[in-house]
Amino acid sequence: MLPQLSLSWIRVVRKPTFWLIIVLLAFITVLHYREAVLIPSFLADLITQLGLSRHAFERILYLAVIIWSGFLFGWKGSVATSLVALVCMLPRALVISTTPQDALFETGTVFIVGNLVAFTFEALRREREHRIRLAALNEIVGAASQSLEMSQVLHSSVDNIVNVMKVDAVLLFLLDEESEELSLAAYKGVSDEFVRSVGKLKLGEGLNGMVAQTGEPAYIEDASIDPRLTRMAVAEEGIHSEMIVPLKLKGRVMGTLCVAAHRRYEFTRDEVKTLTAIGNQIGVALENARLYEKEREVAEKLRISEERYRQLFENANDAIWINDVDGNIVSANDAANRLVGGNLESLSHTSSRSSLSDESLRLANEIRTRLLRGEAVDEPYEQKLVGEGGVERILKLTTNVFKVDGKPTGFQHIARDVTQEIRMQENLRFYLEQVTKAQEDERMRIARELHDDTIQALVALARELDMLASSEEGISEDKKHLMENLRQQANTTMAGVRRLSQDLRPPTLDRLGLAAALDWLASNVEGHSGIAVTMKKNGKERRLASEVELLLFRITQEALSNVWRHSQATHAEVIVEFDRDRIRITVKDNGKGFALTHPADDLSRRGKFGLVGMKERAKLLGGKLEVDSKPGKGTTISVEAPI
C-alpha cells in the first residue's frame, strides 16, 4: 500500500541537492565559528572589510539555506534544516557572543522567518498544484462530458491523463460484476502484446484486480519485482512505478485506473488525490455513458416496436381505427378504409358517428361510457355500420381506451366484417327452424295417425279377440287360451304404440303447457327406467310460445333419455326456473359422468349427437346450453333461453 511520505527520507538522501544543503550548512557553520577554526586569510580579510563582525552574515546565510530547503523538500525539509541551523547557531549565541541578547534574537528570527517563508512557499506551491489539478480535472471532465459514447469517453480520458500526469502509460479497466472480471477498455503507451496478455483479469488477480477487490488505491514502486504481480508482461513491457486507483460511483467499484512509468517515479500525495478525483469523474462519466447506452437501446427497441406495430396496423386484415374522445377518427388502416369504402385521408377527417345508425350510436355511447368508468365489457360485441352506398355491415368489434397519465385520450377499435357469416348463420338457423318444424309436423301427423288409426284398430282387434275368447260355441279350451294370449299381445302392442305416439307428440304439451308436459315426462321416464326422477319449479309458471315450449321439451326429453341410456344413475332431478324474461331448465343426475376434454364444437366427432341436437335447439331459441360433467361426479345439463 501507499507509504507515508514522512517515512521517505531514504529517497531524499539519494538526491544530490540534499548533500549540497549539507555542504552549505557545514560551510556556513565554519564561517560562524571562524575564531575557533582556521580559515584562509583572504576570506577573513574580506569579512573584516565588509564589517561583518557580529556574525549576522552567517545567520542570513542560514536563513537562505532554510528557505531553499523548504522550496526543494517542502515544509518538512524546512523544519529539519532550521533545526540543524538552530543547533549550529545556539552555542555562539549562548556562550561565545559578546552580545548574547542580540545573538539570540537574530538566531530566533532566522528560525522563525525561515520557516515562515518556507511555509509560505509550501502554501503557494500547494495552491499552484491545486489549481493545476483543478485545471486537469476540468479538462478531463470537459473532454469526457463532450460525448456520451462510452468508447469515446474512455479514450479521450486516457489521452488527457497522459498529457496531464506526464506518465508513460495509462490503463483503464472496467469491471463486469456478473463474471467478476476486469476488461482492459482503453489504454495508451503499451504494446499490443501487453494488451493481449493483460486484457482480461479476474477480480483479485494481479495489482489491478487487487485494487478492484479492495476499493483502495495502491502505489507500486517497482511493479516488475512486486510479489503480487501475476503476469510477466508487466516486467517485459519495462514498467516500474505504478499508481492504481479504483473507479468508483456511490461507493461501487466500476473498474480501475492505472498510470505507469518506465522509470522509478514517486507519486506525490497531490498526484494521488488528482488521480483519485479523475477516477471518480471517469466513474460518473461511465455511468452517464451506460445510462445513455441503455436509453439508446430502449429507444431503438421502442422504434422497432413502433415500426412493427405500424406494419401490423397497416397490413392487418381486420379493420383498425382510432378516434379521440369526441369521436373524430385520427388514424385508420387500409382495411378500415375498405370497410367504409373511403380512403385514409378522407376517413381521417370524419367522425365515427357518420357511419352509425341511431341504434348503433346508442350502443357505441353505452360502450364508451362503460369503458370510461372502468367497467367490464363483453367483447367482442356486434355493431352495425353503414358503408358506402348505404350498405349495412355487421361487425365483431373490440374497443380499448387510450390513456395518457391516467387520463383517457381516445379509443382504439378492432373490427372484423362478419356480415356474410351472420347472413349464413341466419340462413342456417332458418333452415334448421324449417327442418325442425317439418320434423315436428311429421311427428304430429304420425302420432295422430297412430292414435286415430293404429290404436283404434288394435282396440277393435282386442275387443273381437276378447269376444271370441268368451264365446262358448264350439271353441276348445286350447283355442280360447290362444286367443287370450293374442288379446294380451294386442293390448301390449297398443300400449307401446300409445307410448310411441305420446313420445312423438305428447298431447299434454299442447293442452296444458311445458310445466305439465315435463311433469308427465319425469313420471314416464321414472316408470320405464326405474330411475327416481324429481321435479322442481321456481318462479311464476306461465305458458310460452308453442315453438319455444316444444324445443325446451325436446331438450329436456333428450337429456333424460341420456340419463336413462348412458349414465347408470339412480336419481335424476329436473329444475324449471321461470324468470321475468328468461327460462332455465336444469337436468342433474348422479351417474358415472364423462370427461369434457374437447370443445363443445367437437361433440359430433365424438359421437355425442344427442348433445349436438340439444345445442342446436338451444341456438334456435337464442339461448345457450351448458354441460358440466366429471367422471364419477354425475352430469348437469342446463339450457337458458329468453322468453
Side-chain angles (χ1 to χ4, degrees), residues 436 440 505-518 521 540-558 576 578 583 585 617 620-621 639 641-643:
T436 302
E440 292 298 333
R505 182 75 176 199
T508 308
L509 182 64
D510 295 323
R511 297 194 193 106
L512 302 177
L514 178 64
L518 293 180
L521 179 62
K540 185 178 180 181
E541 181 181 338
R542 59 188 184 274
R543 291 297 301 267
L544 309 177
S546 60
E547 295 83 359
V548 175
E549 289 186 338
L550 179 59
L551 289 172
L552 290 172
F553 178 83
R554 292 303 182 197
I555 292 173
T556 309
Q557 186 180 38
E558 183 64 33
V576 183
F578 289 93
I583 183 172
I585 300 176
R617 287 186 172 93
L620 291 176
L621 290 169
V639 59
I643 55 176

Side-chain angles (χ1 to χ4, degrees), residues 526-570:
E526 182 175 0
H528 289 88
S529 66
I531 300 173
V533 181
T534 58
M535 181 77 180
K536 293 183 180 179
K537 302 173 188 176
N538 298 322
K540 185 178 180 181
E541 181 181 338
R542 59 188 184 274
R543 291 297 301 267
L544 309 177
S546 60
E547 295 83 359
V548 175
E549 289 186 338
L550 179 59
L551 289 172
L552 290 172
F553 178 83
R554 292 303 182 197
I555 292 173
T556 309
Q557 186 180 38
E558 183 64 33
L560 288 175
S561 176
N562 288 338
V563 173
W564 178 9
R565 296 174 183 174
H566 307 297
S567 70
Q568 299 177 8
T570 60

Side-chain angles (χ1 to χ4, degrees), residues 473-547:
E473 297 179 358
I475 300 176
S476 63
E477 291 299 326
D478 291 339
K479 290 183 179 180
K480 287 182 179 181
H481 184 68
L482 176 60
M483 285 188 288
E484 179 64 24
N485 289 337
L486 290 174
R487 186 184 66 82
Q488 290 179 359
Q489 290 180 14
N491 288 333
T492 303
T493 303
M494 183 173 56
V497 172
R498 182 178 288 112
R499 185 173 62 252
L500 177 60
S501 175
Q502 290 176 344
D503 286 343
L504 287 171
R505 182 75 176 199
T508 308
L509 182 64
D510 295 323
R511 297 194 193 106
L512 302 177
L514 178 64
L518 293 180
D519 275 330
W520 170 83
L521 179 62
S523 299
N524 190 41
V525 171
E526 182 175 0
H528 289 88
S529 66
I531 300 173
V533 181
T534 58
M535 181 77 180
K536 293 183 180 179
K537 302 173 188 176
N538 298 322
K540 185 178 180 181
E541 181 181 338
R542 59 188 184 274
R543 291 297 301 267
L544 309 177
S546 60
E547 295 83 359

Side-chain angles (χ1 to χ4, degrees), residues 46-108:
L46 178 61
I47 293 173
T48 301
Q49 291 176 3
L50 293 175
L52 302 176
S53 58
R54 296 179 62 255
H55 303 280
F57 177 68
E58 295 88 344
R59 296 188 180 97
I60 294 173
L61 291 179
Y62 277 124
L63 178 61
V65 174
I66 292 171
I67 294 172
W68 189 38
S69 178
F71 182 78
L72 292 176
F73 301 108
W75 67 271
K76 292 184 179 180
S78 171
V79 170
T81 305
S82 64
L83 288 174
V84 173
L86 184 64
V87 170
C88 294
M89 289 186 292
L90 279 177
R92 169 169 284 282
L94 295 174
V95 179
I96 302 176
S97 177
T98 57
T99 56
Q101 292 181 351
D102 293 343
L104 286 173
F105 175 77
E106 292 175 357
T107 300

Side-chain angles (χ1 to χ4, degrees), residues 279-540:
N280 293 334
Q281 292 298 326
I282 292 176
V284 174
L286 286 177
E287 184 65 16
N288 292 336
R290 286 181 178 178
L291 292 176
Y292 172 72
E293 290 287 343
K294 290 181 179 179
E295 290 179 0
R296 190 167 64 175
E297 289 178 3
V298 171
E300 180 63 19
K301 290 179 180 178
L302 181 60
R303 186 193 65 79
I304 294 174
S305 178
E306 289 177 349
E307 182 66 24
R308 290 175 178 173
Y309 172 78
R310 174 56 58 181
Q311 292 178 1
L312 290 173
F313 179 82
E314 294 177 350
N315 300 324
N317 291 325
D318 291 339
I320 305 174
W321 70 90
I322 300 171
N323 61 265
D324 57 23
V325 291
D326 296 325
N328 300 314
I329 297 175
V330 296
S331 181
N333 65 352
D334 291 338
N337 297 323
R338 292 192 299 269
L339 188 64
V340 299
N343 55 66
L344 182 60
E345 184 176 354
S346 63
L347 190 62
S348 298
H349 294 83
T350 61
S351 172
S352 57
R353 300 185 181 91
S354 61
S355 301
L356 299 176
S357 63
D358 293 340
E359 180 182 355
S360 299
L361 187 57
R362 283 193 297 272
L363 176 59
N365 289 332
E366 179 185 350
I367 295 295
R368 177 180 183 274
T369 302
R370 293 177 63 182
L371 288 174
L372 290 177
R373 290 176 180 174
E375 299 177 2
V377 176
D378 293 334
E379 292 181 327
Y381 59 94
E382 283 190 10
Q383 181 64 288
K384 293 180 180 179
L385 184 72
V386 180
E388 187 178 16
V391 177
E392 186 180 73
R393 297 179 181 272
I394 303 174
L395 308 179
K396 282 288 188 179
L397 197 62
T398 301
T399 302
N400 297 309
V401 182
F402 274 140
K403 292 184 179 181
V404 177
D405 297 330
K407 182 179 179 181
T409 59
F411 300 88
Q412 176 183 268
H413 308 275
I414 302 176
R416 177 169 294 179
D417 188 355
V418 294
T419 306
Q420 296 298 326
E421 297 177 16
I422 296 296
R423 297 288 182 258
M424 291 178 64
Q425 289 176 3
E426 291 175 350
N427 293 336
L428 180 59
R429 187 175 296 113
F430 176 76
Y431 173 75
L432 289 174
E433 288 176 353
Q434 296 304 310
V435 169
T436 302
K437 185 176 181 300
Q439 185 184 55
E440 292 298 333
D441 290 343
E442 184 66 14
R443 286 185 175 187
M444 182 181 293
R445 185 187 65 80
I446 295 173
R448 186 179 297 113
E449 290 182 357
L450 289 174
H451 182 271
D452 295 342
D453 297 336
T454 307
I455 293 178
Q456 296 303 322
L458 288 173
V459 169
L461 177 61
R463 286 179 179 176
E464 291 179 2
L465 289 173
D466 186 46
M467 291 174 61
L468 288 173
S470 61
S471 175
E472 297 179 356
E473 297 179 358
I475 300 176
S476 63
E477 291 299 326
D478 291 339
K479 290 183 179 180
K480 287 182 179 181
H481 184 68
L482 176 60
M483 285 188 288
E484 179 64 24
N485 289 337
L486 290 174
R487 186 184 66 82
Q488 290 179 359
Q489 290 180 14
N491 288 333
T492 303
T493 303
M494 183 173 56
V497 172
R498 182 178 288 112
R499 185 173 62 252
L500 177 60
S501 175
Q502 290 176 344
D503 286 343
L504 287 171
R505 182 75 176 199
T508 308
L509 182 64
D510 295 323
R511 297 194 193 106
L512 302 177
L514 178 64
L518 293 180
D519 275 330
W520 170 83
L521 179 62
S523 299
N524 190 41
V525 171
E526 182 175 0
H528 289 88
S529 66
I531 300 173
V533 181
T534 58
M535 181 77 180
K536 293 183 180 179
K537 302 173 188 176
N538 298 322
K540 185 178 180 181

Side-chain angles (χ1 to χ4, degrees), residues 23 51 111 120 126 133 150 175 191 329 504 521 561 599 614 634 642:
V23 171
F111 181 81
T120 302
R126 288 185 177 182
R133 185 170 69 251
M150 184 173 294
L175 176 63
S191 63
I329 297 175
L504 287 171
L521 179 62
S561 176
M614 295 162 64

